[in-house]
mmCIF file of all heavy atoms in Angstrom:
data_model
loop_
_atom_site.group_PDB
_atom_site.id
_atom_site.type_symbol
_atom_site.label_atom_id
_atom_site.label_comp_id
_atom_site.label_asym_id
_atom_site.label_seq_id
_atom_site.Cartn_x
_atom_site.Cartn_y
_atom_site.Cartn_z
ATOM 1 N N LEU A 9 96.329 104.101 95.252
ATOM 2 C CA LEU A 9 96.662 105.214 96.127
ATOM 3 C C LEU A 9 95.516 106.200 96.045
ATOM 4 O O LEU A 9 95.268 106.796 95.011
ATOM 5 C CB LEU A 9 97.968 105.874 95.677
ATOM 6 C CG LEU A 9 98.502 106.974 96.571
ATOM 7 C CD1 LEU A 9 98.888 106.378 97.916
ATOM 8 C CD2 LEU A 9 99.704 107.617 95.935
ATOM 9 N N GLY A 10 94.791 106.333 97.119
ATOM 10 C CA GLY A 10 93.651 107.239 97.105
ATOM 11 C C GLY A 10 93.216 107.576 98.507
ATOM 12 O O GLY A 10 93.642 106.974 99.480
ATOM 13 N N ARG A 15 91.975 106.681 106.336
ATOM 14 C CA ARG A 15 93.258 107.368 106.151
ATOM 15 C C ARG A 15 93.146 108.831 106.554
ATOM 16 O O ARG A 15 94.018 109.372 107.225
ATOM 17 C CB ARG A 15 93.712 107.293 104.695
ATOM 18 C CG ARG A 15 94.296 105.982 104.301
ATOM 19 C CD ARG A 15 94.814 106.083 102.893
ATOM 20 N NE ARG A 15 95.279 104.785 102.450
ATOM 21 C CZ ARG A 15 95.811 104.567 101.275
ATOM 22 N NH1 ARG A 15 95.943 105.560 100.419
ATOM 23 N NH2 ARG A 15 96.218 103.374 100.944
ATOM 24 N N HIS A 19 95.320 110.559 109.678
ATOM 25 C CA HIS A 19 96.208 111.707 109.489
ATOM 26 C C HIS A 19 95.676 112.942 110.212
ATOM 27 O O HIS A 19 96.458 113.759 110.704
ATOM 28 C CB HIS A 19 96.409 111.994 107.997
ATOM 29 C CG HIS A 19 97.283 110.973 107.340
ATOM 30 N ND1 HIS A 19 98.638 110.899 107.555
ATOM 31 C CD2 HIS A 19 96.995 109.955 106.484
ATOM 32 C CE1 HIS A 19 99.145 109.908 106.867
ATOM 33 N NE2 HIS A 19 98.161 109.315 106.214
ATOM 34 N N ILE A 68 95.674 117.190 102.827
ATOM 35 C CA ILE A 68 96.881 117.042 102.015
ATOM 36 C C ILE A 68 97.462 115.636 102.138
ATOM 37 O O ILE A 68 97.893 115.039 101.157
ATOM 38 C CB ILE A 68 97.920 118.105 102.410
ATOM 39 C CG1 ILE A 68 97.422 119.492 101.984
ATOM 40 C CG2 ILE A 68 99.285 117.812 101.801
ATOM 41 C CD1 ILE A 68 98.269 120.632 102.471
ATOM 42 N N ASN A 69 97.458 115.070 103.348
ATOM 43 C CA ASN A 69 98.114 113.781 103.584
ATOM 44 C C ASN A 69 97.182 112.587 103.492
ATOM 45 O O ASN A 69 97.608 111.464 103.758
ATOM 46 C CB ASN A 69 98.788 113.782 104.959
ATOM 47 C CG ASN A 69 99.959 114.725 105.015
ATOM 48 O OD1 ASN A 69 100.502 115.109 103.988
ATOM 49 N ND2 ASN A 69 100.349 115.110 106.206
ATOM 50 N N ALA A 70 95.935 112.767 103.120
ATOM 51 C CA ALA A 70 94.974 111.665 103.104
ATOM 52 C C ALA A 70 95.306 110.598 102.068
ATOM 53 O O ALA A 70 94.845 109.464 102.192
ATOM 54 C CB ALA A 70 93.568 112.193 102.866
ATOM 55 N N ASN A 71 96.090 110.923 101.075
ATOM 56 C CA ASN A 71 96.427 109.916 100.071
ATOM 57 C C ASN A 71 97.672 109.119 100.444
ATOM 58 O O ASN A 71 98.057 108.206 99.739
ATOM 59 C CB ASN A 71 96.605 110.552 98.697
ATOM 60 C CG ASN A 71 97.799 111.476 98.654
ATOM 61 O OD1 ASN A 71 98.273 111.942 99.684
ATOM 62 N ND2 ASN A 71 98.265 111.756 97.453
ATOM 63 N N LEU A 72 98.296 109.435 101.572
ATOM 64 C CA LEU A 72 99.469 108.696 102.018
ATOM 65 C C LEU A 72 99.048 107.473 102.821
ATOM 66 O O LEU A 72 97.996 107.476 103.448
ATOM 67 C CB LEU A 72 100.359 109.594 102.887
ATOM 68 C CG LEU A 72 100.914 110.843 102.205
ATOM 69 C CD1 LEU A 72 101.654 111.694 103.228
ATOM 70 C CD2 LEU A 72 101.828 110.463 101.067
ATOM 71 N N PRO A 73 99.853 106.435 102.817
ATOM 72 C CA PRO A 73 99.497 105.261 103.627
ATOM 73 C C PRO A 73 99.591 105.575 105.115
ATOM 74 O O PRO A 73 100.227 106.539 105.526
ATOM 75 C CB PRO A 73 100.537 104.216 103.216
ATOM 76 C CG PRO A 73 101.669 104.994 102.660
ATOM 77 C CD PRO A 73 101.096 106.245 102.074
ATOM 78 N N VAL A 74 98.944 104.763 105.907
ATOM 79 C CA VAL A 74 98.967 104.949 107.354
ATOM 80 C C VAL A 74 100.114 104.110 107.911
ATOM 81 O O VAL A 74 99.953 102.964 108.304
ATOM 82 C CB VAL A 74 97.615 104.552 107.988
ATOM 83 C CG1 VAL A 74 97.653 104.748 109.488
ATOM 84 C CG2 VAL A 74 96.503 105.372 107.381
ATOM 85 N N GLU A 78 104.612 108.193 107.904
ATOM 86 C CA GLU A 78 103.665 109.159 107.342
ATOM 87 C C GLU A 78 102.854 109.841 108.445
ATOM 88 O O GLU A 78 102.530 111.021 108.337
ATOM 89 C CB GLU A 78 102.737 108.463 106.342
ATOM 90 C CG GLU A 78 103.447 107.742 105.218
ATOM 91 C CD GLU A 78 104.397 108.615 104.417
ATOM 92 O OE1 GLU A 78 104.171 109.841 104.322
ATOM 93 O OE2 GLU A 78 105.375 108.075 103.885
ATOM 94 N N LYS A 81 104.924 112.527 109.880
ATOM 95 C CA LYS A 81 104.889 113.703 109.003
ATOM 96 C C LYS A 81 103.628 114.527 109.254
ATOM 97 O O LYS A 81 103.678 115.764 109.271
ATOM 98 C CB LYS A 81 104.933 113.272 107.532
ATOM 99 C CG LYS A 81 106.267 112.761 107.068
ATOM 100 C CD LYS A 81 106.176 112.337 105.618
ATOM 101 C CE LYS A 81 107.452 111.701 105.139
ATOM 102 N NZ LYS A 81 107.343 111.241 103.745
ATOM 103 N N SER A 82 102.503 113.853 109.456
ATOM 104 C CA SER A 82 101.260 114.569 109.739
ATOM 105 C C SER A 82 101.333 115.279 111.083
ATOM 106 O O SER A 82 100.851 116.408 111.223
ATOM 107 C CB SER A 82 100.072 113.600 109.716
ATOM 108 O OG SER A 82 99.820 113.160 108.406
#
Side-chain angles (χ1 to χ4, degrees):
L9 185 65
R15 282 185 185 181
H19 287 288
I68 291 173
N69 292 340
N71 66 340
L72 299 174
V74 180
E78 304 304 332
K81 287 179 185 178
S82 290

